[in-house]
Amino acid sequence: MYKDIATPTRTKEILAKYGFSFKKSLGQNFLIEPNILHRIVDFAELSERTGVIEIGPGIGALTEQLARRAKKVIAFEIDQRLLPILADTLSPYSNVSVIHQDILKADVQQVISEQLADVEDIMVVANLPYYVTTPIIMKLLTDRLPIRGMVVMLQKEVAERMAAKPGTKDYGSLTIAVQYYTHAETVMNVPRTVFVPKPNVDSAVIRLLKREQPAVAVSNEDFFFTVVRASFGQRRKTILNNLMSHLPNGKQKKEQIEKALEGARIDPKRRGETLTIAEFAILSERLYDFFS
Ligand code: SAM
């Protein structure tokens, strides 16, 4: 077994050998604690039949742990300067391929068809670049990829919003967007001290396991999410006021909105944050008749 890339001394050696300087704009905070990486990999429950998609391998700290436990690892890295470093650090692992691409622009479905056709199970595992965590997660969910789920490190505050329960301060449209597709759970908090450079925010690892079907059945997904976003428009406002202010022509359609709320048995004075995803679905179905 090779010495872990993620130890502080080995990381320092690699960075010095290549004269690598961190780019803050690319969210480059590398992990230097192998135990944390082992735990992340444990949460992903990989087997020799699993293919892994990693976003942002950096110098390969997590990639190598994944390569030791999975059948194949495909890692998307945006920073060209890291490619020769990865070719060096990951040279012992023949089951890794690095793709030099912005994950937000990548056709991940095509990459899966071409490179992961021979695996039985696909997981996304990553220490995400924090400036784009939400767009990355939402892209991977809305692309409806054939993945089992994701185990990803991100800002603690964002993880809490994604895994929130109704009636809490963290519960909002991001919660619904993520939980519509997945079962979400924060599985580990991570201190700032295990990264170089140290980030300015606390971190957490979230596990998102894809539901077989979305959490609720709705006639029109776009309209459902429009209703959800409108309901959280201003957190202190009642659901009625938010829907009137934030749905198209909402003010003119007050009566219809009241009728939909009544039909869905939702008190118009409630706040959006108290509605369960099932209640949002019923409400959106009632409203759809008036807004489609
Ligand atoms: N996996 C490494 C680790 O845990 O030490 C590095 C994680 S670092 C938080 C994020 C990585 O994502 C960096 O290597 C950065 O260059 C890369 N990155 C940033 N934006 C990206 C994007 N849009 N697509 C792919 N990779 C990106």
Side-chain angles (χ1 to χ4, degrees):
M1 188 80 83
Y2 295 87
K3 213 167 109 193
D4 284 339
I5 295 169
T7 60
T9 26
R10 176 107 196 268
T11 300
K12 218 186 260 172
E13 274 167 24
I14 295 167
L15 297 175
K17 178 174 171 189
Y18 289 92
F20 184 81
S21 55
F22 293 100
K23 266 197 194 157
K24 218 176 161 187
S25 61
L26 290 179
Q28 291 179 338
N29 300 95
F30 295 172
L31 274 164
I32 49 163
E33 174 48 80
N35 286 330
I36 300 272
L37 291 166
H38 297 155
R39 290 186 62 199
I40 294 174
V41 178
D42 286 345
F43 286 122
E45 297 184 343
L46 307 179
S47 79
E48 66 285 354
R49 294 181 299 279
T50 310
V52 174
I53 296 172
E54 188 192 1
I55 297 117
I59 59 170
L62 176 58
T63 326
E64 92 172 335
Q65 305 294 339
L66 295 167
R68 287 176 187 164
R69 304 266 285 273
K71 178 166 181 158
K72 236 183 219 180
V73 183
I74 311 288
F76 289 88
E77 175 55 63
I78 199 171
D79 187 349
Q80 175 140 34
R81 300 172 308 151
L82 288 165
L83 301 191
I85 306 182
L86 287 163
D88 176 6
T89 59
L90 297 176
S91 60
Y93 306 97
S94 56
N95 58 343
V96 176
S97 33
V98 175
I99 301 181
H100 176 219
Q101 202 172 14
D102 177 345
I103 186 69
L104 294 175
K105 299 194 179 137
D107 184 343
V108 183
Q109 178 57 64
Q110 195 183 336
V111 171
I112 289 175
S113 312
E114 286 171 6
Q115 302 204 37
L116 292 177
D118 56 345
V119 301
E120 285 175 20
D121 161 58
I122 301 176
M123 276 301 272
V124 172
V125 186
N127 169 18
L128 291 173
Y130 289 1
Y131 74 107
V132 276
T133 41
T134 304
I136 292 175
I137 290 175
M138 289 319 299
K139 172 193 161 84
L140 298 176
L141 293 178
T142 54
D143 279 359
R144 312 247 167 165
L145 303 171
I147 59 174
R148 172 161 51 93
M150 307 187 204
V151 172
V152 291
M153 172 112 71
L154 69 178
Q155 306 92 310
K156 183 164 177 258
E157 173 242 330
V158 180
E160 282 167 352
R161 283 165 50 209
M162 290 183 175
K165 302 246 177 329
T168 62
K169 71 167 176 32
D170 295 319
Y171 187 74
S173 48
L174 181 63
T175 316
I176 311 270
V178 168
Q179 295 187 17
Y180 178 77
Y181 297 104
T182 70
H183 297 280
E185 185 190 359
T186 301
V187 289
M188 173 166 63
N189 289 326
V190 180
R192 298 175 196 205
T193 47
V194 300
F195 301 88
V196 280
K198 236 192 264 177
N200 299 327
V201 293
D202 289 321
S203 301
V205 175
I206 196 168
R207 179 168 55 196
L208 305 174
L209 292 177
K210 235 177 72 191
R211 297 175 188 271
E212 281 193 12
Q213 300 291 335
V216 287
V218 292
S219 310
N220 182 313
E221 280 182 2
D222 287 343
F223 183 71
F224 169 71
F225 287 114
T226 302
V227 170
V228 170
R229 279 191 301 273
S231 305
F232 288 106
Q234 281 158 283
R235 292 189 78 94
R236 286 149 172 272
K237 280 192 173 181
T238 63
I239 182 118
L240 173 62
N241 283 336
N242 264 329
L243 292 172
M244 280 169 54
S245 307
H246 300 289
L247 283 180
N249 301 320
K251 293 233 162 48
Q252 291 95 299
K253 293 194 174 172
K254 182 175 184 210
E255 263 176 44
Q256 289 94 320
I257 295 173
E258 284 173 331
K259 214 163 155 192
L261 283 164
E262 195 187 332
R265 296 173 182 276
I266 294 168
D267 182 339
K269 293 202 198 71
R270 279 173 66 183
R271 303 238 162 93
E273 71 218 45
T274 69
L275 268 67
T276 62
I277 191 162
E279 287 180 308
F280 275 118
I282 298 167
L283 176 61
S284 138
E285 292 306 286
R286 296 276 173 168
L287 286 166
Y288 191 53
D289 295 337
F290 301 120
F291 284 83
S292 55

